[in-house]
Amino acid sequence: LLAAAVVDHAGLAANFYVFAALNLLGALLVSVSIGRAPPGRPEGAPMAGWALHLRNHALCTSFAIGFLILFAFIGTGSQAVAYDRKARDPDPAQRLPTPGLEDKDIPFVIELTADGRVVALRDTRELQGKKLRAKSFLVPMGEKKTSGIKANLLWDSAAYVLGLDTGRKSQGDTTPQAAFRARIEALPEPARSDAGVRAVLAALDRADWSLLQAHPGWSEIVESRPVMSFRLAGELDLVCQRPAVVAAATASGDDDSQALQCLCLVDGTPQPVQRLHASIKGVWGAQSSGANIVSFNARAFESYGKTERQGENAPVGQRAAFAYTTALNHLLAPGSRNRVQVGDASTVFWADGP
């Protein structure tokens, strides 16, 4: 109760200082008490005293409660440590993305000229074992899609990028492709003036996908509507990886002006609350699209006065939500050496240093 009160009023850092001070005070009291107490005389075997304590059920219960409190206290300080360490990894290939970005497997990349003409369709997949695995790219954070139409920035499924029919009803005059274009046009002026962004908008105006339709993978694209993106011919980075676009994506993040400010349950600091948490992939028995660790999909699970307010029922700050979901997705990724599977239980682990 004391820890909860301190965190609520002064934050997690202050909580550590308070309990460190209490530990030092306890050590001082023990030192004074031992110094004044007469020396005891050992009776019987050296372990007889321990055996006497362990036969006292009330004392054993106190030991157990103290251990659990200490374990919980230590565990609180390790929240998001996996993300924090991997985000500082000197190896770019191992470094986790910063807030506003994510790693995404993109099977197909459309190459464009500066005036928006399609010149090639690149299949990024390579055979790993018996499966084709797409290349991973660092891209702007995708939207949490539960229902309705929400477009990602300069990458998405073929339904959004090319306008392939999915059978989904449009929302009024909004179609997936229209939403995809609107998301690009909502970029700030420096990003909209970027050569790559202008090329994508020109390609969407042309809507000439005949070269794609002649590609051997076109039938697969029509059938499965995989994730696609764009890049300028002759370049390695995608358009969504160009500096102006990345700057806009990392600067905007979630709309903090409309998000409720609350004390984060993870680190105890005031933050905008993350309303919808990213899905965790690689969870045993869950859908391939991922599972939600924090979600409220029925009114019975919601607090009074917080109906249909999702994450406000268990307020986690936007940075903390990004850190834990990014770290878990990394630790649970295929081929991860930080995961052990025993039956239906997945255990992830990490170290404080290399």
Side-chain angles (χ1 to χ4, degrees):
L1 292 176
L2 175 61
V6 173
V7 169
D8 185 48
H9 289 86
L12 188 61
N15 186 53
F16 275 96
Y17 292 130
V18 169
F19 275 88
L22 289 176
N23 285 331
L24 291 175
L25 180 60
L28 180 62
L29 290 174
V30 170
S31 176
V32 172
S33 301
I34 291 178
R36 294 181 176 180
R41 296 181 179 179
E43 299 180 0
M47 297 300 293
W50 276 104
L52 181 63
H53 291 328
L54 294 176
R55 285 196 297 269
N56 188 325
H57 297 295
L59 194 57
C60 288
T61 303
S62 300
F63 289 158
I65 293 174
F67 174 78
L68 292 175
I69 292 175
L70 177 63
F71 184 78
F73 177 67
I74 295 174
T76 302
S78 67
Q79 293 288 347
V81 67
Y83 171 79
D84 290 334
R85 186 173 85 77
K86 295 298 290 183
R88 297 190 300 268
D89 198 306
D91 183 1
Q94 298 296 324
R95 190 180 305 146
L96 292 184
T98 57
L101 304 176
E102 69 169 301
D103 288 311
K104 187 69 178 180
D105 293 344
I106 300 182
F108 294 97
V109 175
I110 303 171
E111 294 191 350
L112 306 172
T113 61
D115 60 357
R117 290 183 295 106
V118 178
V119 294
L121 176 63
R122 304 297 182 187
D123 188 341
T124 71
R125 297 172 298 176
E126 295 181 353
L127 190 63
Q128 295 184 2
K130 296 182 179 180
K131 295 183 178 180
L132 288 172
R133 179 73 183 272
K135 183 179 179 180
S136 181
F137 295 87
L138 188 62
V139 299
M141 178 69 69
E143 292 287 337
K144 176 76 173 184
K145 298 184 180 182
T146 53
S147 61
I149 296 175
K150 294 181 180 179
N152 299 323
L153 181 57
L154 289 162
W155 65 271
D156 216 309
S157 70
Y160 283 82
V161 175
L162 304 179
L164 297 182
D165 183 25
T166 62
R168 175 187 294 177
K169 294 181 179 179
S170 61
Q171 296 178 347
D173 296 332
T174 302
T175 62
Q177 191 175 33
F180 184 75
R181 183 187 183 96
R183 182 72 189 277
I184 300 172
E185 292 176 338
L187 285 168
E189 179 56 34
R192 289 202 310 272
S193 300
D194 179 83
V197 174
R198 293 201 309 269
V200 172
L201 290 173
L204 296 177
D205 286 336
R206 290 174 178 270
D208 181 9
W209 312 121
S210 56
L211 189 145
L212 307 184
Q213 294 167 1
H215 191 275
W218 177 250
S219 59
E220 181 181 354
I221 292 174
V222 173
E223 180 180 355
S224 62
R225 298 176 181 83
V227 174
M228 309 181 75
S229 191
F230 299 91
R231 72 178 165 208
L232 292 178
E235 296 192 0
L236 296 177
D237 289 340
L238 303 179
V239 173
C240 60
Q241 294 177 309
R242 294 173 69 86
V245 177
V246 171
T250 54
S252 61
D254 290 326
D255 188 356
D256 294 354
S257 63
Q258 298 181 5
L260 175 69
Q261 294 282 333
C262 193
L263 288 177
C264 173
L265 292 179
V266 175
D267 62 14
T269 61
Q271 293 186 41
V273 174
Q274 183 67 44
R275 184 172 177 272
L276 296 175
H277 294 214
S279 298
I280 308 300
K281 297 184 179 180
V283 177
W284 187 267
Q287 297 180 353
S288 59
S289 59
N292 295 319
I293 290 184
V294 178
S295 66
F296 300 86
N297 60 349
R299 296 187 64 175
F301 311 137
E302 297 172 332
S303 299
Y304 177 76
K306 294 187 177 181
T307 301
E308 298 182 356
R309 290 164 69 178
Q310 299 290 348
E312 292 182 19
N313 287 275
V316 175
Q318 292 177 359
R319 185 195 177 279
F322 173 83
Y324 94 77
T325 54
T326 302
L328 276 179
N329 277 316
H330 173 76
L331 296 171
L332 290 167
S336 172
R337 299 176 62 185
N338 300 87
R339 168 182 180 167
V340 173
Q341 189 73 37
V342 179
D344 61 354
S346 301
T347 302
V348 295
F349 52 89
W350 59 90
D352 288 335

